[in-house]
Amino acid sequence: MAGLAEHLPAGEMRAMEKIKLGISTCLLGENVRYDGGHKLDRFLTDTLGQYVEYAPVCPEVECGLPIPRESMHLEGNPESPRLVTLRTKQDMTERMVSWALKRVVELEKEGLCGFIFKSDSPSSGMERVRVYNEKGMPVKKGVGMFAKIFMKHYPLLPVEDEGRLHDPKLRENFVERIFALKRWREVLTKKESRGTLVDFHTQHKLLILSHSPKHYQIMGKLVAQAKNIPLKNLYQQYQNILMEALQLKTTPKKNANVLMHMMGYFKEQLSSDEKQELLEVVDHYRQEYIPLIVPMTLINHYVRKYDQPYLKQQVYLNPHPLELQLRNHV
Ligand code: SF4
């Protein structure tokens, strides 16, 4: 089955088709900001950029505003604010909304696996954007105009902003989701078949379990009934539940449970000392004394050593390139 990029060395992985992500243009270092500047984020361009291809979107420039331009903010009701320039008080709401509604449809052909927004922007911010009341006092409850329309149009697509991506847990979760979605998209390029879906599910079981035992159960039942469900419907249901499951964050407790589950596959092979050591490492991880990479490395070692057939196909062991070092900090 295709989509096993995560089992390949980074070099080969880079040679594969890259993951397509939308991004706020200024994060790539383009001088599109109101003051003619940019907000280059080196992790996004230099590190993640090795695996992804970006589709840049600058709502303010693309809706026809110049560089430089008057700065603007959101004001009014945080649920449905207006986008207004600061000095001359021009209301840009209609201009932005009518452009954004067309742009999100146009983006469908890009096959995006996610979007990285610029934080705090009245156009691009995905959460906690300042909305000012009539007295000029801000509340951090708004969503940027374009980001809101984008997220409504693509409710299950992974989205983050560059600020949140500095948090190692959020970063790991986002990258894991875009890689999972990319693998799923590869399944969609093939002829629909129950066998293909079951293969994908089998390989992703432990990854799903690490996010949500509840979704793991639901998906297990869905796949078990696969032959009674029309294929289109089956694929659609599976995709929705998969994306919903991966939105839920992994935790040390959930990961530790998966690690214990994996340990069960080595009951026969491990000596009691080795079992004890593994138990201690998992427990230290559960208590957050050591990062996830430590128990994962040990388990990976046993999977290879004993050539455990079920575990060695699990995406959970290598959900994204090691070079991103995402499990060194969670
Ligand atoms: S935050 Fe959004 S609108 Fe502002 S410069 Fe960046 S991409 Fe353009």
Side-chain angles (χ1 to χ4, degrees), residues 24-26 32-33 57-60 69 118 121 123-124:
S24 299
T25 309
C26 56
V32 288
R33 302 235 319 152
V57 180
C58 177
E60 292 177 16
R69 58 188 168 275
K118 169 72 190 75
S121 154
S123 307
S124 302

